[in-house]
Amino acid sequence: MRQLQKIRQYQRLYQHYGSDPKPTTIAEVAETALCSERHARTLLRQLTQSGWLSWSAQPGRGHRAILHCLATTSELSAPLMHACLEKGDYQSALQLADGDPASLHHIITPFLGGKWLKHQPTLRIPWYRPLTSLYPALQRRRAEQHIICAVHAGLTRYTPGQPHPVPDLAHHWETHDNNRRWRFYLRSGAHWHNGQAISDEDILAGVQQLLADPARNAGLKHVHQVSLAAPWCLDITLHAPDAMLAHRLAHHVCRLPHPQQPEIGAGPFAIARHHSHYLRLERQPWYFAAHPLLHAIEFWRTSAGAQKPAWITVGKGKSAQKAASSTSGGFAWLMVNTALTQPLADWLRQEIVFMSQRNFSQRDDLQTRTEVLPGLQTPLLPTAPDVPLPPTLSLVCYHTPELRELADTLHAALKKRHCTLTVAWKDRDEWHTPGAMEQADLVLGDYLAGELPGFALAEWFTDEPAWATALGDARWQEEKQQLMGLCESEERLNTQLVPFFRRLLESGACTPLFHYRYRINTMENVQDIVLTAGGWLDFTRAWLPPAMTQERTTSAS
């Protein structure tokens, strides 16, 4: 866009010369505007004609001219920012804002929500941080998990409101040999997002890559062999019976990207553009199941942080619908290193639970009364007597606003008792690096629940490395084997899961602190908001009513 380039060059001149008249030369202008001297003369003429600056040249070689910038950069860029946003060109608007999303925050709201663009329904969602890798590795952030499930298909998948997985790339499956051998009948005629047909060999290669990836195969260590028993017929044999394999394969880490081009998937939406501050998903024309009603979904980064990350606002207009809300089955939690003495561990649990309730009991986006599973509330802690504290304690803490606040409160409280708390902040990617919490006395993290609460909790126990800190690695491995034994049948798992976790909670191995209350604030132009277990709207169901102000014209034949 020529106008955008002209404004960018004027911004460089304004930053260099300021708003007062300054002596300069053509050579200096060219160097500042990053152009040739010939183009600098053309640029000065155009900017003068536009009334943006004045240029008073002096006669004679070597004499310095006077350049006076007459307009501020915000006066010039704001109208063009509006024009860019109206067309959906967020990247150009961000360039005009010098790459700072916060600079767009005050003007971007009217352009968000449901919009009909070129007769295509588009949903724009404001976001507060860069969206990281969308490869289905062990991605711990709930937004990325949700997007991965929209972009990539798997053998099975979850759908909101359904307690069991439904077919995806496998249209049916059956079990044999007491749940030791699973046969998946594969869907023929499906395509990748690039239009290439999906072969049964592609699916086999995708499953083999999944099993070979340590960041994805935590729940599949019991797989013995995977093979094509016949065309479009995938066999998976196990070392141990597992009635829950179809559930495991519905997890986001088990989605199957293209085996050679992992950014290409086979789900309902394809990644059209992905930058640090902008993501655009487009409806995939090759999708094998029912097509979504939205044509595109865009994430626009509009600020540097979120006061309530569990709340999302979509839509525009003056009349808001009733917000869709739910309480997460997941929870923030505390674990204490098993090497600490029992009196010290009990006192720390008591103090941190008290701090959490004091800090968050009045928050409308958090719930401090925790229920890990239906019928399994967090047991009350016994009163712990005061104990002498060591000179130092170490904390590994997942980086969320709430846990940061709790860690800061704990740091201040221990400091008053002459105990220094050292805090290691971990993001989702760092959390699972080897040895990340080996030396931690305390660990603060959070667990994101899945569509099937009980089984999702069992998966978390298998995958969460902090359990090795709380139980000791040897006992953790033993408990995992016991939990896998419960999966011989779904009925046995459902019967024994509550007693299994009640025992762990009563021992103090894990102390839940609070749940998030998910909420999606919707306006009148976004319909059928259905919440997933992760608190996101189901992209495949949402739709926009017709834009009645844009009458479609027809001509007589």
Side-chain angles (χ1 to χ4, degrees), residues 101 110 150 246 329 399:
H399 206 296

Side-chain angles (χ1 to χ4, degrees), residues 156-172:
T156 62
R157 63 182 173 88
Y158 284 120
T159 187
Q162 295 288 337
H164 292 89
V166 299
D168 208 21
L169 288 174
H171 59 81
H172 288 86

Side-chain angles (χ1 to χ4, degrees), residues 108-131:
I108 207 170
T109 301
F111 304 100
L112 297 170
K115 303 283 285 185
W116 284 85
L117 303 174
K118 298 179 180 179
H119 302 297
Q120 297 285 9
T122 300
L123 179 61
R124 292 172 177 158
I125 300 173
W127 199 236
Y128 66 95
R129 60 171 175 79
L131 287 161

